[in-house]
């Protein structure tokens, strides 16, 4: 039986970079799962690569059809943004392993849906000051920087990823992304051990 490796952590912890590095390791044989979001596409993103960018109507339709595996909703300064994983044929755990990015809430929902033995947490940490600097730099590159949303997301992360929530989700191991190579190698080592 395959596993789903779920990368998670506060914003600007390097999840996207780590994801790309792990997917590029052929020896891990990890497939991607492209999630869905109703948020606007950012500069440099492509539909179907980072996410499937859909309208609220599509999210509501899939929800009514009970085709949403896990979902999170954020009340942003630009309105509600939904992020979710759908039953769309991307996941088949008969011998195949997957890697994707989610949240604590998403991780818990995936465990409920697929079973605890099928879902492996990969929790990434970075010091708050460094995360905030990264978030501001990333936002500067957008055509219309929204620093209010950066602040909202930063504060929301403090609540969403509280120690109580991390422990409540059953996450025991954390990966510090102070040195990207060391962090990626530590995660790859643990994934390889799970697959053995």
């Amino acid at each position: 039986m395959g596993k789903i490796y779920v990368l998670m952590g506060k914003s600007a912890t390097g999840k996207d970079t780590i994801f790309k590095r792990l997917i590029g390791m052929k020896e891990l044989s990890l497939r991607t799962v492209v999630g869905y979001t109703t948020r606007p596409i950012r500069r440099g993103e492509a539909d179907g690569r980072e996410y499937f960018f859909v309208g609220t109507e599509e999210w509501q339709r899939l929800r009514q059809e009970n085709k949403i595996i896990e979902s999170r909703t954020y009340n942003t300064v630009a309105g509600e943004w939904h992020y979710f994983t759908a039953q769309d044929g991307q996941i088949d755990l008969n011998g195949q392993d997957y890697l994707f990015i989610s949240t604590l809430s998403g991780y818990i929902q995936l465990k409920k849906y697929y079973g605890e033995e099928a879902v492996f947490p990969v929790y990434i940490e970075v010091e708050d000051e460094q995360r905030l600097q990264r978030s501001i730099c990333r936002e500067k590159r957008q055509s219309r920087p929204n620093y209010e949303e950066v602040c909202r997301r930063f504060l929301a992360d403090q609540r969403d990823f509280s120690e109580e929530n991390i422990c409540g989700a059953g996450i025991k191991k954390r990966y510090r992304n102070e040195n990207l190579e060391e962090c990626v190698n530590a995660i790859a080592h643990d994934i390889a051990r799970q697959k053995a």
Side-chain angles (χ1 to χ4, degrees), residues 99-144:
L99 177 70
F100 68 94
I101 299 170
S102 191
T103 62
L104 279 176
S105 155
Y107 166 68
I108 291 166
Q109 290 174 65
L110 284 163
K111 282 199 303 183
K112 284 180 184 170
Y113 189 87
Y114 288 106
E116 194 155 346
E117 68 286 343
V119 184
F120 185 86
V122 180
Y123 186 78
I124 313 294
E125 288 187 322
V126 169
E127 290 299 322
D128 285 344
E129 180 182 352
Q130 188 176 6
R131 286 192 319 103
L132 186 54
Q133 288 173 350
R134 286 180 182 178
S135 294
I136 290 168
C137 287
R138 180 172 65 189
E139 198 63 27
K140 271 185 191 174
R141 294 191 297 269
Q142 300 305 311
S143 56
R144 290 185 186 173

Short mmCIF file of all heavy atoms in Angstrom, two decimals, residues 99-144:
data_model
loop_
_atom_site.label_atom_id
_atom_site.label_comp_id
_atom_site.label_asym_id
_atom_site.label_seq_id
_atom_site.Cartn_x
_atom_site.Cartn_y
_atom_site.Cartn_z
N LEU A 99 3.23 12.95 -2.74
CA LEU A 99 3.72 14.07 -1.94
C LEU A 99 2.89 15.29 -2.28
O LEU A 99 2.71 15.61 -3.46
CB LEU A 99 5.19 14.35 -2.26
CG LEU A 99 5.83 15.54 -1.54
CD1 LEU A 99 6.03 15.25 -0.06
CD2 LEU A 99 7.16 15.90 -2.18
N PHE A 100 2.36 15.94 -1.26
CA PHE A 100 1.73 17.23 -1.51
C PHE A 100 1.75 18.10 -0.28
O PHE A 100 2.09 17.66 0.81
CB PHE A 100 0.36 17.12 -2.16
CG PHE A 100 -0.75 16.54 -1.35
CD1 PHE A 100 -1.61 17.36 -0.64
CD2 PHE A 100 -0.98 15.19 -1.37
CE1 PHE A 100 -2.67 16.82 0.06
CE2 PHE A 100 -2.05 14.65 -0.68
CZ PHE A 100 -2.89 15.47 0.05
N ILE A 101 1.42 19.36 -0.47
CA ILE A 101 1.47 20.37 0.57
C ILE A 101 0.06 20.59 1.11
O ILE A 101 -0.89 20.72 0.34
CB ILE A 101 2.04 21.69 0.00
CG1 ILE A 101 3.46 21.48 -0.50
CG2 ILE A 101 1.99 22.80 1.05
CD1 ILE A 101 4.03 22.65 -1.29
N SER A 102 -0.04 20.64 2.44
CA SER A 102 -1.32 20.92 3.06
C SER A 102 -1.10 21.65 4.39
O SER A 102 -0.02 22.19 4.62
CB SER A 102 -2.11 19.62 3.27
OG SER A 102 -3.45 19.91 3.63
N THR A 103 -2.12 21.65 5.23
CA THR A 103 -2.07 22.29 6.54
C THR A 103 -2.31 21.22 7.60
O THR A 103 -2.60 20.07 7.28
CB THR A 103 -3.18 23.34 6.66
OG1 THR A 103 -4.44 22.67 6.53
CG2 THR A 103 -3.05 24.42 5.60
N LEU A 104 -2.22 21.61 8.87
CA LEU A 104 -2.53 20.66 9.94
C LEU A 104 -3.95 20.13 9.80
O LEU A 104 -4.20 18.94 9.91
CB LEU A 104 -2.39 21.35 11.31
CG LEU A 104 -0.99 21.47 11.88
CD1 LEU A 104 -1.03 22.25 13.18
CD2 LEU A 104 -0.36 20.12 12.09
N SER A 105 -4.87 21.04 9.53
CA SER A 105 -6.26 20.66 9.35
C SER A 105 -6.41 19.69 8.17
O SER A 105 -7.10 18.67 8.26
CB SER A 105 -7.10 21.92 9.14
OG SER A 105 -8.26 21.66 8.44
N GLY A 106 -5.75 19.99 7.06
CA GLY A 106 -5.79 19.11 5.89
C GLY A 106 -5.19 17.75 6.19
O GLY A 106 -5.72 16.71 5.77
N TYR A 107 -4.08 17.76 6.91
CA TYR A 107 -3.41 16.50 7.30
C TYR A 107 -4.36 15.63 8.13
O TYR A 107 -4.51 14.43 7.88
CB TYR A 107 -2.14 16.84 8.08
CG TYR A 107 -1.53 15.68 8.81
CD1 TYR A 107 -0.96 14.61 8.13
CD2 TYR A 107 -1.52 15.64 10.21
CE1 TYR A 107 -0.40 13.54 8.80
CE2 TYR A 107 -0.97 14.58 10.89
CZ TYR A 107 -0.42 13.53 10.18
OH TYR A 107 0.14 12.46 10.86
N ILE A 108 -5.04 16.23 9.09
CA ILE A 108 -5.97 15.49 9.95
C ILE A 108 -7.12 14.92 9.11
O ILE A 108 -7.52 13.76 9.28
CB ILE A 108 -6.49 16.39 11.09
CG1 ILE A 108 -5.35 16.70 12.07
CG2 ILE A 108 -7.68 15.76 11.80
CD1 ILE A 108 -5.63 17.84 13.03
N GLN A 109 -7.65 15.73 8.18
CA GLN A 109 -8.74 15.25 7.32
C GLN A 109 -8.28 14.11 6.42
O GLN A 109 -9.03 13.15 6.18
CB GLN A 109 -9.28 16.41 6.48
CG GLN A 109 -10.03 17.45 7.29
CD GLN A 109 -10.42 18.63 6.43
OE1 GLN A 109 -11.20 18.51 5.50
NE2 GLN A 109 -9.86 19.80 6.74
N LEU A 110 -7.04 14.18 5.92
CA LEU A 110 -6.50 13.11 5.09
C LEU A 110 -6.35 11.81 5.89
O LEU A 110 -6.65 10.73 5.39
CB LEU A 110 -5.15 13.51 4.50
CG LEU A 110 -5.22 14.50 3.34
CD1 LEU A 110 -3.86 15.14 3.10
CD2 LEU A 110 -5.71 13.81 2.08
N LYS A 111 -5.91 11.93 7.15
CA LYS A 111 -5.79 10.74 8.00
C LYS A 111 -7.16 10.11 8.22
O LYS A 111 -7.29 8.88 8.21
CB LYS A 111 -5.19 11.11 9.36
CG LYS A 111 -3.69 11.30 9.34
CD LYS A 111 -3.06 11.21 10.72
CE LYS A 111 -3.64 12.18 11.72
NZ LYS A 111 -2.95 12.10 13.03
N LYS A 112 -8.18 10.93 8.41
CA LYS A 112 -9.53 10.40 8.61
C LYS A 112 -10.02 9.70 7.36
O LYS A 112 -10.69 8.67 7.41
CB LYS A 112 -10.50 11.53 8.99
CG LYS A 112 -10.37 11.99 10.42
CD LYS A 112 -11.35 13.09 10.73
CE LYS A 112 -11.14 13.61 12.14
NZ LYS A 112 -11.91 14.83 12.41
N TYR A 113 -9.70 10.26 6.20
CA TYR A 113 -10.20 9.73 4.93
C TYR A 113 -9.46 8.45 4.52
O TYR A 113 -10.09 7.46 4.13
CB TYR A 113 -10.07 10.79 3.84
CG TYR A 113 -10.76 10.42 2.55
CD1 TYR A 113 -12.10 10.72 2.35
CD2 TYR A 113 -10.07 9.78 1.53
CE1 TYR A 113 -12.75 10.37 1.18
CE2 TYR A 113 -10.70 9.43 0.34
CZ TYR A 113 -12.03 9.73 0.18
OH TYR A 113 -12.66 9.38 -0.99
N TYR A 114 -8.11 8.46 4.58
CA TYR A 114 -7.31 7.34 4.09
C TYR A 114 -6.83 6.40 5.18
O TYR A 114 -6.36 5.31 4.88
CB TYR A 114 -6.09 7.86 3.31
CG TYR A 114 -6.46 8.45 1.98
CD1 TYR A 114 -6.45 9.83 1.78
CD2 TYR A 114 -6.82 7.65 0.91
CE1 TYR A 114 -6.79 10.39 0.56
CE2 TYR A 114 -7.16 8.18 -0.32
CZ TYR A 114 -7.14 9.56 -0.49
OH TYR A 114 -7.48 10.10 -1.70
N GLY A 115 -6.90 6.82 6.45
CA GLY A 115 -6.38 6.01 7.55
C GLY A 115 -5.00 6.49 7.95
O GLY A 115 -4.20 6.92 7.12
N GLU A 116 -4.74 6.42 9.24
CA GLU A 116 -3.49 6.96 9.80
C GLU A 116 -2.24 6.32 9.21
O GLU A 116 -1.23 6.98 9.00
CB GLU A 116 -3.50 6.80 11.33
CG GLU A 116 -2.44 7.62 12.00
CD GLU A 116 -2.78 7.95 13.44
OE1 GLU A 116 -3.93 7.78 13.85
OE2 GLU A 116 -1.86 8.39 14.13
N GLU A 117 -2.31 5.02 8.91
CA GLU A 117 -1.13 4.32 8.40
C GLU A 117 -0.75 4.76 6.99
O GLU A 117 0.37 4.54 6.54
CB GLU A 117 -1.34 2.80 8.44
CG GLU A 117 -2.39 2.26 7.47
CD GLU A 117 -3.84 2.55 7.86
OE1 GLU A 117 -4.12 2.89 9.02
OE2 GLU A 117 -4.70 2.43 6.97
N ALA A 118 -1.67 5.40 6.28
CA ALA A 118 -1.42 5.79 4.89
C ALA A 118 -0.91 7.23 4.74
O ALA A 118 -0.51 7.63 3.65
CB ALA A 118 -2.68 5.62 4.06
N VAL A 119 -0.90 7.99 5.83
CA VAL A 119 -0.55 9.41 5.74
C VAL A 119 0.61 9.73 6.68
O VAL A 119 0.55 9.44 7.88
CB VAL A 119 -1.77 10.29 6.07
CG1 VAL A 119 -1.45 11.77 5.88
CG2 VAL A 119 -2.97 9.91 5.20
N PHE A 120 1.69 10.30 6.13
CA PHE A 120 2.92 10.57 6.88
C PHE A 120 3.17 12.08 6.93
O PHE A 120 3.24 12.73 5.89
CB PHE A 120 4.09 9.86 6.19
CG PHE A 120 5.40 9.97 6.93
CD1 PHE A 120 5.72 9.06 7.92
CD2 PHE A 120 6.30 10.98 6.62
CE1 PHE A 120 6.94 9.16 8.59
CE2 PHE A 120 7.50 11.08 7.28
CZ PHE A 120 7.83 10.17 8.28
N PRO A 121 3.31 12.65 8.15
CA PRO A 121 3.51 14.09 8.26
C PRO A 121 4.96 14.52 8.06
O PRO A 121 5.88 13.86 8.55
CB PRO A 121 3.08 14.39 9.70
CG PRO A 121 3.44 13.14 10.45
CD PRO A 121 3.21 12.00 9.46
N VAL A 122 5.15 15.62 7.33
CA VAL A 122 6.47 16.23 7.16
C VAL A 122 6.31 17.70 7.54
O VAL A 122 5.90 18.53 6.72
CB VAL A 122 6.98 16.08 5.70
CG1 VAL A 122 8.35 16.72 5.55
CG2 VAL A 122 7.01 14.62 5.28
N TYR A 123 6.61 18.01 8.80
CA TYR A 123 6.38 19.35 9.33
C TYR A 123 7.67 20.19 9.25
O TYR A 123 8.69 19.82 9.84
CB TYR A 123 5.88 19.29 10.77
CG TYR A 123 5.48 20.63 11.31
CD1 TYR A 123 4.27 21.20 10.94
CD2 TYR A 123 6.34 21.36 12.12
CE1 TYR A 123 3.91 22.46 11.39
CE2 TYR A 123 5.99 22.62 12.57
CZ TYR A 123 4.78 23.16 12.21
OH TYR A 123 4.43 24.41 12.65
N ILE A 124 7.61 21.30 8.53
CA ILE A 124 8.78 22.17 8.29
C ILE A 124 8.71 23.38 9.21
O ILE A 124 7.66 23.99 9.37
CB ILE A 124 8.81 22.68 6.82
CG1 ILE A 124 8.56 21.54 5.83
CG2 ILE A 124 10.10 23.42 6.53
CD1 ILE A 124 9.61 20.50 5.78
N GLU A 125 9.86 23.75 9.79
CA GLU A 125 9.94 24.93 10.66
C GLU A 125 11.05 25.87 10.21
O GLU A 125 12.09 25.43 9.73
CB GLU A 125 10.24 24.52 12.10
CG GLU A 125 9.11 23.87 12.82
CD GLU A 125 9.40 23.64 14.29
OE1 GLU A 125 10.55 23.29 14.63
OE2 GLU A 125 8.47 23.80 15.10
N VAL A 126 10.80 27.18 10.38
CA VAL A 126 11.77 28.24 10.15
C VAL A 126 11.48 29.32 11.20
O VAL A 126 10.32 29.51 11.58
CB VAL A 126 11.64 28.84 8.72
CG1 VAL A 126 12.46 30.11 8.55
CG2 VAL A 126 12.06 27.82 7.67
N GLU A 127 12.52 30.01 11.66
CA GLU A 127 12.33 31.08 12.64
C GLU A 127 11.37 32.14 12.08
O GLU A 127 11.40 32.46 10.89
CB GLU A 127 13.67 31.74 12.98
CG GLU A 127 14.60 30.85 13.78
CD GLU A 127 14.04 30.45 15.13
OE1 GLU A 127 13.37 31.28 15.79
OE2 GLU A 127 14.25 29.30 15.53
N ASP A 128 10.54 32.70 12.97
CA ASP A 128 9.51 33.65 12.56
C ASP A 128 10.07 34.88 11.84
O ASP A 128 9.49 35.33 10.84
CB ASP A 128 8.69 34.11 13.77
CG ASP A 128 7.72 33.04 14.24
OD1 ASP A 128 7.46 32.10 13.48
OD2 ASP A 128 7.22 33.16 15.37
N GLU A 129 11.17 35.43 12.32
CA GLU A 129 11.73 36.63 11.68
C GLU A 129 12.11 36.35 10.23
O GLU A 129 11.81 37.13 9.33
CB GLU A 129 12.96 37.11 12.45
CG GLU A 129 13.60 38.35 11.83
CD GLU A 129 14.85 38.80 12.57
OE1 GLU A 129 15.16 38.26 13.65
OE2 GLU A 129 15.54 39.70 12.04
N GLN A 130 12.74 35.20 10.00
CA GLN A 130 13.14 34.82 8.64
C GLN A 130 11.90 34.58 7.76
O GLN A 130 11.87 34.99 6.60
CB GLN A 130 14.00 33.56 8.69
CG GLN A 130 14.62 33.20 7.35
CD GLN A 130 15.54 32.00 7.47
OE1 GLN A 130 15.64 31.36 8.51
NE2 GLN A 130 16.21 31.69 6.38
N ARG A 131 10.87 33.95 8.32
CA ARG A 131 9.63 33.72 7.56
C ARG A 131 8.99 35.03 7.13
O ARG A 131 8.55 35.18 6.00
CB ARG A 131 8.61 32.95 8.40
CG ARG A 131 8.89 31.51 8.60
CD ARG A 131 7.71 30.75 9.18
NE ARG A 131 6.99 31.42 10.25
CZ ARG A 131 5.82 32.02 10.10
NH1 ARG A 131 5.21 32.07 8.95
NH2 ARG A 131 5.21 32.58 11.14
N LEU A 132 8.94 35.99 8.04
CA LEU A 132 8.31 37.27 7.73
C LEU A 132 9.08 38.00 6.63
O LEU A 132 8.49 38.55 5.69
CB LEU A 132 8.21 38.14 8.98
CG LEU A 132 7.43 39.45 8.84
CD1 LEU A 132 6.03 39.23 8.28
CD2 LEU A 132 7.37 40.17 10.18
N GLN A 133 10.41 37.97 6.71
CA GLN A 133 11.23 38.61 5.68
C GLN A 133 11.00 37.93 4.32
O GLN A 133 10.86 38.62 3.30
CB GLN A 133 12.70 38.54 6.06
CG GLN A 133 13.07 39.48 7.20
CD GLN A 133 14.50 39.28 7.69
OE1 GLN A 133 15.18 38.32 7.32
NE2 GLN A 133 14.95 40.19 8.53
N ARG A 134 10.95 36.61 4.30
CA ARG A 134 10.70 35.88 3.05
C ARG A 134 9.33 36.25 2.47
O ARG A 134 9.19 36.41 1.27
CB ARG A 134 10.73 34.37 3.30
CG ARG A 134 12.08 33.77 3.53
CD ARG A 134 11.92 32.29 3.74
NE ARG A 134 13.18 31.63 4.03
CZ ARG A 134 13.29 30.33 4.29
NH1 ARG A 134 12.22 29.55 4.28
NH2 ARG A 134 14.45 29.80 4.54
N SER A 135 8.32 36.33 3.35
CA SER A 135 6.96 36.64 2.90
C SER A 135 6.89 38.02 2.26
O SER A 135 6.25 38.21 1.22
CB SER A 135 5.98 36.59 4.07
OG SER A 135 5.87 35.28 4.57
N ILE A 136 7.56 38.98 2.86
CA ILE A 136 7.56 40.35 2.33
C ILE A 136 8.28 40.38 0.98
O ILE A 136 7.79 41.00 0.03
CB ILE A 136 8.20 41.32 3.35
CG1 ILE A 136 7.26 41.47 4.56
CG2 ILE A 136 8.48 42.67 2.71
CD1 ILE A 136 7.89 42.17 5.76
N CYS A 137 9.41 39.70 0.89
CA CYS A 137 10.16 39.66 -0.38
C CYS A 137 9.33 39.00 -1.48
O CYS A 137 9.31 39.48 -2.62
CB CYS A 137 11.48 38.90 -0.20
SG CYS A 137 12.70 39.82 0.74
N ARG A 138 8.63 37.92 -1.14
CA ARG A 138 7.80 37.23 -2.13
C ARG A 138 6.66 38.13 -2.59
O ARG A 138 6.34 38.20 -3.77
CB ARG A 138 7.25 35.93 -1.54
CG ARG A 138 6.37 35.14 -2.49
CD ARG A 138 5.99 33.79 -1.96
NE ARG A 138 5.15 33.89 -0.78
CZ ARG A 138 4.82 32.86 -0.01
NH1 ARG A 138 5.28 31.66 -0.27
NH2 ARG A 138 4.04 33.03 1.03
N GLU A 139 6.07 38.86 -1.66
CA GLU A 139 4.94 39.73 -1.98
C GLU A 139 5.37 40.90 -2.86
O GLU A 139 4.63 41.35 -3.73
CB GLU A 139 4.27 40.23 -0.70
CG GLU A 139 2.88 40.77 -0.91
CD GLU A 139 1.88 39.73 -1.42
OE1 GLU A 139 2.06 38.52 -1.17
OE2 GLU A 139 0.92 40.14 -2.08
N LYS A 140 6.60 41.38 -2.66
CA LYS A 140 7.13 42.49 -3.47
C LYS A 140 7.14 42.14 -4.96
O LYS A 140 7.03 43.01 -5.80
CB LYS A 140 8.59 42.80 -3.06
CG LYS A 140 8.73 43.79 -1.96
CD LYS A 140 10.22 44.07 -1.75
CE LYS A 140 10.43 44.84 -0.47
NZ LYS A 140 11.85 45.02 -0.16
N ARG A 141 7.29 40.86 -5.27
CA ARG A 141 7.38 40.43 -6.67
C ARG A 141 6.02 40.35 -7.35
O ARG A 141 5.95 40.15 -8.56
CB ARG A 141 8.08 39.07 -6.74
CG ARG A 141 9.54 39.11 -6.32
CD ARG A 141 10.27 37.83 -6.66
NE ARG A 141 9.77 36.66 -5.99
CZ ARG A 141 10.19 36.18 -4.82
NH1 ARG A 141 11.16 36.81 -4.18
NH2 ARG A 141 9.68 35.09 -4.30
N GLN A 142 4.93 40.48 -6.59
CA GLN A 142 3.60 40.43 -7.18
C GLN A 142 3.28 41.75 -7.90
O GLN A 142 3.80 42.80 -7.54
CB GLN A 142 2.54 40.15 -6.10
CG GLN A 142 2.75 38.84 -5.36
CD GLN A 142 2.83 37.64 -6.29
OE1 GLN A 142 2.00 37.46 -7.17
NE2 GLN A 142 3.86 36.83 -6.10
N SER A 143 2.42 41.68 -8.90
CA SER A 143 2.07 42.90 -9.64
C SER A 143 1.34 43.90 -8.74
O SER A 143 1.48 45.10 -8.92
CB SER A 143 1.22 42.56 -10.87
OG SER A 143 0.07 41.85 -10.47
N ARG A 144 0.58 43.40 -7.78
CA ARG A 144 -0.10 44.26 -6.80
C ARG A 144 0.17 43.71 -5.40
O ARG A 144 -0.64 42.94 -4.86
CB ARG A 144 -1.60 44.27 -7.04
CG ARG A 144 -1.98 45.01 -8.29
CD ARG A 144 -3.48 45.08 -8.38
NE ARG A 144 -3.87 45.67 -9.64
CZ ARG A 144 -5.10 45.74 -10.04
NH1 ARG A 144 -6.08 45.26 -9.29
NH2 ARG A 144 -5.41 46.29 -11.20
#
